[in-house]
């Protein structure tokens, strides 16, 4: 799970709408998913921040339009393409959904399967939030290339490892479909690097487009 | 007859569903109707409903839904494009029956009257036109139980032969309505006739032998007549047994009983089976899987359907996985130019199909409507399908086609996590320490041992492991 920078912000009309609403009513409008006129603004703003990837699994959600999202705004509203993606807006902390349902800080674009089948409304630990200033994948995670699973960093205290284990499961980092996709992707990279004589750095800079964390953590296995 | 497309909009939970049942671009049969189709989807997504609709539209049923406690579809809620030879036509649902939409014969439009004439002419010789195997097949009574009469008389045998000769299969064989065992009378009439005639010949031999002044040459003559007849008329039951059933029954420890049972001739319209040692198994003691296989395969084998529509709902039921693997191919091999529709919950059945042959039905996000999950991106072309069940492992089919999370029980996932952690400890130490140090490190050696034990439990191929 990569660190995500949400400071890149285009959805100013949405921000104004929420600010006004909260000022008058005291809390956010009801989170009503895609029925809200600002849904796409939030969705595509976040998709750009996440570089077209699922915020948790780093699986690819969209690989063509996301790069041009900064150029698709008019008066603070998103006017670009809105293809149907296999991805939903997820409330990282489900408890905030009722009164702060449109809090950008709590929203991420994630794979539909992870949102609806894995994460659901389970409790979360905030230290393991992709945009938490103190979060970094290296601090909390290791990648086991044999099983293609993320596991807690073994340098952490046991109690912390247990919390990371819980979050790995809750956010679907090792969900089978993701794990299989990651296994196939990294295996193909290893084959390509070995037989087309491409170095780790060159591949990263020129070809890599998903599963960045697993890639970085598999440097030794990919090169040997 | 073949179905080309099915459109469902506003019928049951279907909304804007258009199912393309033709081969995609890039296929050698592109644009032609698919020869076999497999519906998959969670219970309640309408697989059986679609099979029922196919039956209604193919047979021009004018009382759609009226004879069942189901919703009568409104005008144009359902549309079927179909094809018989060079006649292509479209029919739609209507509150008062099917509505003729349009038809073309060799690219010329035809009106309703002409369509009726053409369709009837084209399907007149299609026998059967449709065979339906629903999940709950109807049986009447078990025919080979109860006391059997002694050896039948000549008159009884002649009556029996006359009765069998007059039997003919129907154009629509629907085992949701017709009792499957009753249809066996005409499906197996060739066998029954052969049996009855054989007894007539054997009785003639006995009669010669029982005469007071019987002559050996007369007995021999009767014997020769019997042998000549047998030569010209090989036992069709043996053919059925050898060509179809015995190969399937052998793994179940069974075979078809081919010995002549005189008393059975008048009373048994089914085949009989016995153990490989020759012990008869009464019908009551057949396993449900055995009954299902025999009832599925015999109609197709005996009818030799051509240009027919065959509907099979959950063909996998009561079948062990090895039997599931062969059932689709076996059924399809028994017809010629037919269109087969299967509905299944079995990944093994699904693995017999190309991705364009699978129609996956799913509930939408709100679980209110049903849509068809598409397996391709962009153009509907053979190269654009994201997977092919024929090439996939069972794990992958379960995961990607049936959306099952994981590759085994949740306990397996916990054990793999444990394996990942041990392997990570081993890898890290190997990167830091020398071989000599590691061989003295009790924790390291324990991890290696634990890894081996765990890997064996998980059936992890240690030969492919690099840690």
């Amino acid at each position: 799970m990569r660190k995500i920078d949400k400071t890149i912000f285009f959805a100013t009309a949405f921000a104004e709408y929420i600010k006004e609403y909260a000022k008058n009513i005291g809390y956010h409008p009801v989170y009503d998913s895609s029925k809200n006129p600002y849904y796409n603004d939030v969705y595509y703003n976040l998709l750009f921040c996440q570089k077209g990837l699922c915020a948790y699994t780093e699986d690819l959600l969209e690989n063509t339009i996301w790069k041009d999202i900064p150029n698709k705004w008019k008066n603070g509203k998103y006017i670009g393409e809105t293809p149907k993606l296999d991805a939903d807006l997820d409330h990282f902390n489900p408890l905030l959904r009722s009164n702060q349902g449109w809090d950008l800080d709590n929203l991420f674009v994630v794979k539909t399967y992870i949102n609806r089948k894995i994460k659901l409304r389970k409790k979360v630990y905030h230290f393991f939030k992709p945009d938490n200033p103190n979060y970094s994948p290296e601090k909390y995670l290791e990648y086991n290339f044999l099983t293609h699973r993320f596991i807690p960093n073994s340098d952490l205290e046991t109690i912390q490892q247990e919390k990371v284990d819980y979050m790995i499961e809750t956010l679907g980092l090792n969900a089978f479909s993701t794990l299989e996709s990651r296994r196939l992707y990294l295996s193909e990279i290893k084959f390509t690097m070995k037989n087309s004589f491409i170095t780790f750095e060159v591949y990263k800079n020129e070809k890599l487009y998903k599963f960045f964390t697993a890639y970085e953590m598999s440097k030794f296995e990919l090169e040997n | 007859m073949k179905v080309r497309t099915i459109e469902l909009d506003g019928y049951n939970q279907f909304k804007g569903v258009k199912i393309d049942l033709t081969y995609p671009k890039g296929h050698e049969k592109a644009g032609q109707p698919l020869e076999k189709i497999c519906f998959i989807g969670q219970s309640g997504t309408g697989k059986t409903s679609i099979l029922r609709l196919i039956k209604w539209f193919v047979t021009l049923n004018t009382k759609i839904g009226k004879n069942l406690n189901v919703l009568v579809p409104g005008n144009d809620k359902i549309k079927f494009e179909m094809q018989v030879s060079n006649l292509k036509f479209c029919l739609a649902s209507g509150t008062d029956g099917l509505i003729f939409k349009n038809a073309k014969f060799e690219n010329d439009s035809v009106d309703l009257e002409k369509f009726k004439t053409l369709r009837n002419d084209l399907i007149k010789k299609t026998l059967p036109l449709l065979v339906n195997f629903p999940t709950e097949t109807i049986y009447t009574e078990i025919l080979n139980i109860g006391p059997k009469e002694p050896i039948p008389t000549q008159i009884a045998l002649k009556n029996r032969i006359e009765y069998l000769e007059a039997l003919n299969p129907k154009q629509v064989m629907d085992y949701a309505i017709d009792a499957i065992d009753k249809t066996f009378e005409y499906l197996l009439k060739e066998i029954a006739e052969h049996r009855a005639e054989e007894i007539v010949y054997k009785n003639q031999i006995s009669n010669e032998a029982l005469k007071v002044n019987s002559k050996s040459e007369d007995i021999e003559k009767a014997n020769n007549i019997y042998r000549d007849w047998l030569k010209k008329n090989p036992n069709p039951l043996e053919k059925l047994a050898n060509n179809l059933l015995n190969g399937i029954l052998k793994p179940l420890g069974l075979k078809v009983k081919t010995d002549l049972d005189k008393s059975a001739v008048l009373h048994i319209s089914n085949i009989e089976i016995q153990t490989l040692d020759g012990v008869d198994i009464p019908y009551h003691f057949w396993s449900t899987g055995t009954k299902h296989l025999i009832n599925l395969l015999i109609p197709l084998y005996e009818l030799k359907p051509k240009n027919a529509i065959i509907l099979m709902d959950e063909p996998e039921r009561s079948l062990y996985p090895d039997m599931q693997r062969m059932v689709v191919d076996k059924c399809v091999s028994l017809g010629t130019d037919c269109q087969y529709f299967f509905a299944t919950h079995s990944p093994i059945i699904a693995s017999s199909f190309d991705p364009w042959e699978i129609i996956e039905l799913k509930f939408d996000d709100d679980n209110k409507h049903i849509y068809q999950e598409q397996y391709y991106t962009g153009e509907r072309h053979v190269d654009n399908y994201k997977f092919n069940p024929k090439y996939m492992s069972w794990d992958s089919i379960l995961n990607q086609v049936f959306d099952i999370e994981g590759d085994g029980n949740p306990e397996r996932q916990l054990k793999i996590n444990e394996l990942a952690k041990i392997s990570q400890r081993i890898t890290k130490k190997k990167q830091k320490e020398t071989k000599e140090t590691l061989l003295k490190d009790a924790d390291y050696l324990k991890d290696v041992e634990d890894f081996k034990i765990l890997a064996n439990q998980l059936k992890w191929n240690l030969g492919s492991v690099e840690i």
Side-chain angles (χ1 to χ4, degrees):
Chain A
M1 185 173 80
R2 279 214 292 189
K3 185 152 186 163
I4 291 171
D5 176 9
K6 283 193 193 165
T7 57
I8 311 153
F9 190 67
F10 311 108
T12 51
F14 161 75
E16 194 58 33
Y17 158 71
I18 292 296
K19 196 173 140 192
E20 279 302 306
Y21 194 98
K23 195 167 83 182
N24 297 330
I25 312 290
Y27 47 84
H28 283 187
V30 174
Y31 181 81
D32 49 3
S33 186
S34 54
K35 289 178 193 130
N36 189 289
Y38 295 95
Y39 179 86
N40 282 337
D41 298 12
V42 176
Y43 190 95
Y44 287 95
N45 196 146
L46 287 173
L47 190 68
F48 180 75
C49 297
Q50 297 170 202
K51 297 182 167 47
L53 304 182
C54 169
Y56 307 147
T57 63
E58 295 179 49
D59 207 347
L60 186 71
L61 302 179
E62 203 287 321
N63 202 21
T64 51
I65 66 158
W66 76 265
K67 289 170 192 161
D68 203 28
I69 286 174
N71 305 318
K72 302 286 181 183
W73 299 84
K74 191 176 178 184
N75 300 327
K77 284 279 296 166
Y78 180 68
I79 53 165
E81 288 176 66
T82 56
K84 174 144 176 57
L85 304 180
D86 186 21
D88 298 339
L89 278 185
D90 174 58
H91 293 84
F92 181 77
N93 181 352
L95 300 175
L96 301 178
R97 188 186 166 106
S98 51
N99 285 340
Q100 295 175 65
W102 290 99
D103 184 358
L104 200 68
D105 190 53
N106 193 42
L107 290 169
F108 293 95
V109 187
V110 303
K111 284 189 79 168
T112 300
Y113 179 74
I114 300 294
N115 182 39
R116 297 183 197 179
K117 296 279 172 75
I118 307 280
K119 185 167 174 285
L120 306 167
R121 297 197 178 188
K122 292 174 192 152
K123 74 164 190 176
V124 287
Y125 293 111
H126 271 258
F127 74 87
F128 204 82
K129 183 164 175 272
D131 63 341
N132 185 317
N134 296 319
Y135 172 79
S136 81
E138 303 76 27
K139 187 172 171 184
Y140 295 112
L141 295 169
E142 288 178 13
Y143 189 70
N144 179 250
F145 198 79
L146 175 74
T147 58
H148 286 279
R149 279 166 187 255
F150 283 105
I151 57 171
N153 187 331
S154 50
D155 295 333
L156 295 169
E157 297 288 327
T158 308
I159 191 155
Q160 189 75 344
Q161 283 194 41
E162 284 170 5
K163 287 179 182 173
V164 173
D165 244 340
Y166 170 82
M167 285 306 288
I168 288 171
E169 195 186 326
T170 301
L171 303 185
L173 267 54
N174 290 334
F176 190 71
S177 52
T178 300
L179 189 145
E180 277 296 281
S181 168
R182 198 164 58 215
R183 180 178 68 79
L184 293 171
Y185 186 62
L186 293 182
S187 303
E188 191 184 322
I189 290 175
K190 181 165 178 162
F191 180 86
T192 306
M193 284 170 62
K194 203 170 177 180
N195 296 297
S196 303
F197 310 105
I198 299 174
T199 65
F200 184 85
E201 287 305 318
V202 169
Y203 199 97
K204 185 167 87 174
N205 295 331
E206 295 180 5
K207 292 178 180 287
L208 196 68
Y209 62 89
K210 61 180 180 178
F211 301 128
F212 290 87
T213 304
Y215 182 83
E216 284 291 349
M217 292 180 174
S218 304
K219 187 169 189 294
F220 178 80
E221 288 84 355
L222 290 170
E223 287 181 331
N224 293 285
Chain B
M1 174 146 358
K2 291 190 176 63
V3 183
R4 296 178 59 83
T5 63
I6 300 173
E7 281 184 66
L8 304 157
D9 195 9
Y11 176 65
N12 287 354
Q13 288 165 287
F14 296 104
K15 191 180 175 187
V17 174
K18 181 170 181 177
I19 303 170
D20 191 336
L21 298 172
T22 61
Y23 286 97
K25 285 183 181 171
H27 194 282
E28 59 179 13
K29 294 178 185 171
Q32 294 176 36
L34 294 167
E35 283 149 23
K36 66 183 202 294
I37 294 107
C38 180
F39 289 99
I40 65 167
Q42 182 59 268
S43 298
T45 48
K47 302 182 296 295
T48 303
S49 296
I50 292 182
L51 294 186
R52 195 184 296 126
L53 289 175
I54 294 168
K55 183 175 81 179
W56 284 340
F57 272 78
V58 168
T59 58
L60 298 186
N61 190 313
T62 53
K63 293 179 180 172
I64 290 184
K66 289 178 184 169
N67 55 347
L68 288 170
N69 188 20
V70 294
L71 193 68
V72 178
N75 288 351
D76 290 345
K77 301 280 185 197
I78 308 164
K79 279 184 197 159
F80 268 61
E81 271 180 26
M82 289 181 275
Q83 182 175 345
V84 193
S85 186
N86 291 331
L87 176 68
K88 288 180 184 172
F89 57 97
C90 178
L91 302 174
S93 61
T95 44
D96 295 321
L98 295 180
I99 301 169
F100 169 77
K101 303 298 283 187
N102 56 63
K104 274 187 174 181
F105 183 65
E106 293 170 350
N107 291 328
D108 293 328
S109 293
V110 292
D111 62 15
L112 177 60
E113 287 311 309
K114 175 93 172 157
F115 159 70
K116 280 182 185 169
T117 312
L118 280 168
R119 182 191 176 277
N120 290 343
D121 284 351
L122 289 166
I123 66 163
K124 201 161 51 188
K125 288 176 188 167
T126 309
L127 202 67
L129 175 65
L130 180 137
V131 188
N132 180 31
F133 296 94
T135 46
E136 287 174 20
T137 314
I138 292 178
Y139 296 87
T140 47
E141 57 188 283
I142 306 310
L143 293 156
N144 57 346
I145 58 165
K148 290 174 183 172
E149 285 178 17
I151 296 169
T153 63
Q154 296 288 90
I155 292 169
L157 285 168
K158 279 185 179 167
N159 288 342
R160 177 69 172 160
I161 293 169
E162 277 172 21
Y163 168 75
L164 292 169
E165 280 173 350
L167 290 172
N168 278 309
K170 296 197 292 183
Q171 197 171 37
V172 176
M173 302 197 54
D174 182 358
Y175 293 122
I177 297 167
D178 303 319
I180 202 158
D181 47 0
K182 287 226 161 175
T183 64
F184 272 44
E185 280 211 317
Y186 53 77
L187 289 175
L188 299 175
K189 76 173 186 177
E190 198 190 346
I191 291 168
E193 280 171 356
H194 189 278
R195 275 178 174 169
E197 282 190 53
E198 190 171 9
I199 293 177
V200 172
Y201 283 103
K202 286 201 162 178
N203 282 352
Q204 282 167 358
I205 299 168
S206 305
N207 290 342
E208 287 298 334
L210 290 171
K211 280 181 184 169
V212 183
N213 52 352
S214 74
K215 295 176 185 167
S216 61
E217 55 263 37
D218 290 338
I219 299 169
E220 189 54 32
K221 194 178 166 190
N223 247 326
N224 286 339
I225 292 171
Y226 167 62
R227 277 196 288 268
D228 284 348
W229 172 83
L230 202 57
K231 216 172 176 179
K232 285 178 199 158
N233 300 279
N235 186 349
L237 180 60
E238 279 179 11
K239 205 171 146 192
L240 170 69
N242 295 333
N243 291 353
L244 180 76
L245 293 179
N246 279 352
I248 291 158
L249 292 173
K250 197 176 175 187
L252 312 176
L254 301 170
K255 64 178 181 178
V256 174
K257 179 181 177 181
T258 50
D259 298 340
L260 187 64
D261 185 338
K262 290 181 181 177
S263 61
V265 173
L266 295 180
H267 305 283
I268 298 176
S269 293
N270 203 339
I271 61 154
E272 295 173 278
I273 59 172
Q274 45 187 204
T275 64
L276 294 175
D277 294 334
V279 179
D280 291 356
I281 312 280
Y283 188 86
H284 262 323
F285 291 94
W286 290 16
S287 72
T288 47
T290 307
K291 277 182 200 166
H292 173 53
L293 267 179
I294 287 178
N295 290 336
L296 199 63
L297 295 174
I298 284 185
L300 296 177
Y301 178 84
E302 293 294 342
L303 291 167
K304 298 175 181 52
K306 195 175 176 187
N307 297 319
I309 299 267
I310 316 288
L311 310 175
M312 293 191 176
D313 204 352
E314 297 181 22
E316 71 272 20
R317 59 190 191 279
S318 304
L319 296 183
Y320 207 64
D322 63 338
M323 289 290 165
Q324 291 185 34
R325 283 175 74 162
M326 67 82 195
V327 76
V328 172
D329 289 344
K330 184 54 90 179
C331 288
V332 170
S333 74
L334 297 174
T336 309
D337 293 331
C338 293
Q339 193 177 35
Y340 291 82
F341 290 89
F342 297 85
T344 189
H345 291 150
S346 162
I348 298 174
I349 296 285
S351 75
S352 298
F353 294 85
D354 283 313
W356 44 86
E357 295 171 328
I358 296 184
I359 309 297
E360 182 177 357
L361 301 170
K362 273 187 164 177
F363 286 110
D364 67 3
D365 298 349
D366 303 323
N367 283 357
K368 283 183 182 167
H369 296 115
I370 292 157
Y371 69 97
Q372 183 194 351
E373 171 100 336
Q374 298 293 356
Y375 292 163
Y376 61 92
T377 45
E379 188 185 28
R380 187 170 176 263
H381 188 284
V382 286
D383 294 337
N384 292 342
Y385 282 81
K386 57 186 177 185
F387 52 69
N388 189 330
K390 284 182 174 174
Y391 307 151
M392 291 157 74
S393 67
W394 309 126
D395 280 1
S396 300
I397 295 177
L398 278 169
N399 181 247
Q400 294 191 38
V401 184
F402 288 83
D403 297 331
I404 299 295
E405 172 64 18
D407 62 345
N409 191 291
E411 291 290 319
R412 175 177 167 82
Q413 310 312 315
L414 292 175
K415 287 283 180 192
I416 296 177
N417 263 346
E418 217 176 305
L419 188 84
K421 287 173 185 171
I422 298 173
S423 117
Q424 201 66 8
R425 284 201 297 271
I426 294 172
T427 307
K428 277 169 117 178
K429 278 196 174 173
K430 277 172 82 176
Q431 286 172 7
K432 281 184 199 163
E433 309 290 348
T434 63
K435 184 178 156 189
E436 289 70 28
T437 316
L438 287 175
L439 289 172
K440 288 176 197 158
D441 182 338
D443 289 342
Y444 171 81
L445 294 173
K446 185 174 183 310
D447 272 345
V448 172
E449 269 315 298
D450 287 349
F451 182 90
K452 271 199 282 187
I453 293 166
L454 204 48
N456 277 324
Q457 285 177 348
L458 290 162
K459 301 294 169 209
W460 208 281
N461 181 5
L462 278 171
S464 67
V465 170
E466 282 179 49
I467 50 170

